[in-house]
């Protein structure tokens, strides 16, 4: 009974899931650490922060890959503010997973949640930038 | 069969587009497919256990219990539980949505579900340890300290912009998710 329920619930969102992982594959193939690092350097200011948040929003990288990667990006010249925005958006905003989210939460809630999370990543960037420069 | 084809239509289109890309740019295409294969493996490892747990949660935990601890009027207790459950989880954000659906079925308060989603997305304990190791303690702790109030504020804004009717519809939708 529990297993049957589990399978039903799983199969229900299977089409969206498959689309999501294909898009993730495509995005990660196009964007590599060198490319990201070159556009969000510590001199890039708020423009870099915005770009970082946008890149974080559209990519979907598991945390255990993302953190070692952001550590590398920092070494490669990225700024703390930009990295803060990137990590925050990466975790909280999910453009490619939106089809799945909409299926559960509807369009309105999904869009507002992602917009708020996107804006929130600037707050995170600002505070991280301040704390790390102390 | 026709119904199946229609449901997987977008998937097939994207798959087709990626195959064409692979023909045009072999290197990029192969890389895209290898990342996809990696994500697929992650999905196969993460998703089935979540859904089996969900099936069990659905059948074993009585609605009354969930309402008592996380439903309307659960107050601070509900908020703390939502943060804790979300943070204890592992796996990508999309794993949280099906759990949220079961929470809805069990009568968990809407703002607590939003807090749970927020916590799952960004304050996961295993990830925090990873973050400390690679980004340093100051960075990780600072982010955690902004994230907790941030998650709660976002959850309250979301509950405020959603009308009672819209929330009711979402809850009804969750009710039929495994029909």
């Amino acid at each position: 009974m529990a297993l049957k329920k589990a399978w039903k619930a799983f199969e229900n969102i299977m089409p969206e899931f498959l689309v999501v992982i294909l898009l993730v594959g495509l995005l990660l193939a196009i964007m590599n650490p060198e490319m990201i690092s070159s556009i969000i350097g510590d001199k890039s200011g708020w423009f870099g922060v915005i770009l970082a948040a946008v890149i974080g929003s559209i990519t979907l990288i598991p945390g255990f890959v993302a953190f070692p990667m952001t550590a590398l990006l920092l070494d490669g010249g990225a700024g703390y503010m930009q990295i803060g925005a990137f990590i925050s958006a990466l975790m909280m905003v999910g453009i490619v997973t939106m089809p799945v989210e909409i299926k559960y939460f509807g369009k309105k809630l999904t869009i507002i949640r992602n917009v708020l999370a996107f804006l929130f990543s600037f707050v995170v960037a600002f505070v991280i930038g301040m704390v790390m420069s102390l | 069969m026709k119904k199946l084809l229609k449901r997987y239509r977008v998937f097939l289109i994207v798959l087709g587009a990626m195959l064409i890309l692979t023909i045009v740019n072999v290197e990029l295409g192969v890389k895209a497919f290898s990342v996809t294969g990696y994500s697929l493996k992650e999905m196969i490892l993460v998703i089935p256990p979540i859904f089996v747990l969900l099936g069990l949660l659905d059948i074993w935990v009585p609605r009354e219990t969930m309402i008592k601890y996380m439903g309307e009027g659960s107050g601070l207790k509900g908020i703390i539980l939502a943060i804790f459950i979300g943070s204890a989880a592992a796996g990508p954000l999309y794993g949280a949505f099906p759990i949220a659906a079961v929470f809805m079925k069990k009568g968990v308060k809407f703002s607590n579900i939003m807090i749970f989603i927020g916590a799952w997305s960004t304050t996961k304990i295993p990830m925090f340890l990873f973050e400390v190791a690679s980004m340093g303690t100051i960075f990780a702790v600072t982010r955690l300290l902004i994230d907790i109030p941030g998650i709660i504020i976002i959850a309250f804004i979301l509950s405020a912009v959603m009308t009672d009717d819209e929330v009711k519809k979402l809850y009804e939708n969750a009710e039929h998710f495994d029909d």
Side-chain angles (χ1 to χ4, degrees):
Chain A
M1 177 72 175
L3 282 177
K4 204 178 148 209
K5 273 199 158 194
W7 169 249
K8 276 264 175 71
F10 181 47
E11 210 278 327
N12 203 353
I13 49 163
M14 196 62 177
E16 283 81 4
F17 263 134
L18 289 174
V19 172
V20 166
I21 59 165
L22 277 181
L23 289 179
V24 171
L26 191 59
L27 277 169
L28 286 188
I30 297 170
M31 291 197 217
N32 52 37
E34 298 82 55
M35 181 186 158
I36 297 175
S37 173
S38 70
I39 45 182
I40 56 171
D42 55 359
K43 301 274 188 305
S44 60
W46 280 101
F47 182 67
V49 173
I50 295 170
L51 270 179
V54 170
I55 297 170
S57 302
I58 49 182
T59 43
L60 193 128
I61 309 169
F64 56 88
V65 179
F67 285 124
M69 188 181 115
T70 51
L72 281 177
L73 290 177
L74 269 182
D75 290 341
Y80 274 110
M81 270 175 93
Q82 290 79 3
I83 290 294
F86 172 73
I87 290 179
S88 195
L90 177 68
M91 297 193 149
M92 296 179 80
V93 187
I95 301 282
V96 288
T97 51
M98 271 182 144
V100 180
E101 192 170 349
I102 287 173
K103 200 142 189 196
Y104 285 100
F105 289 145
K107 267 201 190 115
K108 181 181 170 186
L109 185 61
T110 300
I111 291 171
I112 301 177
R113 191 195 73 77
N114 280 284
V115 168
L116 287 176
F118 182 76
L119 295 176
F120 179 65
S121 58
F122 295 106
V123 178
V124 175
F126 179 71
V127 178
I128 292 265
M130 249 174 33
V131 172
M132 298 311 287
S133 63
L134 288 179
Chain B
M1 186 61 203
K2 213 172 159 190
K3 207 177 138 211
L4 204 67
L5 211 63
K6 201 177 160 208
R7 284 188 59 213
Y8 286 88
R9 188 183 48 205
V10 182
F11 166 67
L12 292 172
I13 293 171
V14 178
L15 186 67
M18 273 176 68
L19 286 172
I20 293 170
L21 173 86
T22 311
I23 297 166
V24 178
N25 185 337
V26 178
E27 198 195 346
L28 196 65
V30 167
K31 210 175 152 202
F33 273 110
S34 78
V35 179
T36 301
Y38 177 81
S39 316
L40 195 64
K41 215 160 54 190
E42 193 197 18
M43 184 178 125
I44 288 169
L45 288 175
V46 170
I47 301 297
I50 287 180
F51 277 94
V52 171
L53 273 176
L54 276 179
L56 293 175
L57 177 75
D58 206 1
I59 287 171
W60 283 349
V61 183
R63 200 179 141 84
E64 293 70 37
T65 315
M66 290 297 283
I67 290 179
K68 188 176 151 210
Y69 287 105
M70 294 176 80
E72 296 292 335
S74 58
L76 192 62
K77 183 174 60 187
I79 295 178
I80 293 171
L81 258 177
I83 293 182
F84 184 77
I85 299 175
S87 303
L93 182 58
Y94 57 67
F97 302 139
I99 298 184
V102 175
F103 279 177
M104 286 184 193
K105 274 166 92 173
K106 295 282 176 189
V108 172
K109 194 179 169 188
F110 183 66
S111 61
N112 284 343
I113 294 180
M114 291 297 107
I115 291 173
F116 162 78
I117 293 285
W120 180 303
S121 69
T122 195
T123 60
K124 284 198 291 279
I125 295 161
M127 279 305 127
F128 177 73
L129 300 176
F130 234 105
E131 188 173 355
V132 169
S134 43
M135 303 298 292
T137 314
I138 298 174
F139 187 96
V141 171
T142 307
R143 220 174 60 79
L144 183 68
L145 289 180
I146 324 165
D147 277 341
I148 291 174
I151 287 164
I152 297 174
I153 292 167
I154 289 177
F156 280 115
I157 297 176
L158 288 172
S159 337
V161 294
M162 293 293 282
T163 64
D164 289 348
D165 257 14
E166 286 167 331
V167 172
K168 216 174 121 205
K169 257 200 200 120
L170 288 182
Y171 275 62
E172 276 163 12
N173 178 35
E175 206 65 54
H176 302 294
F177 230 83
D178 48 12
D179 288 347

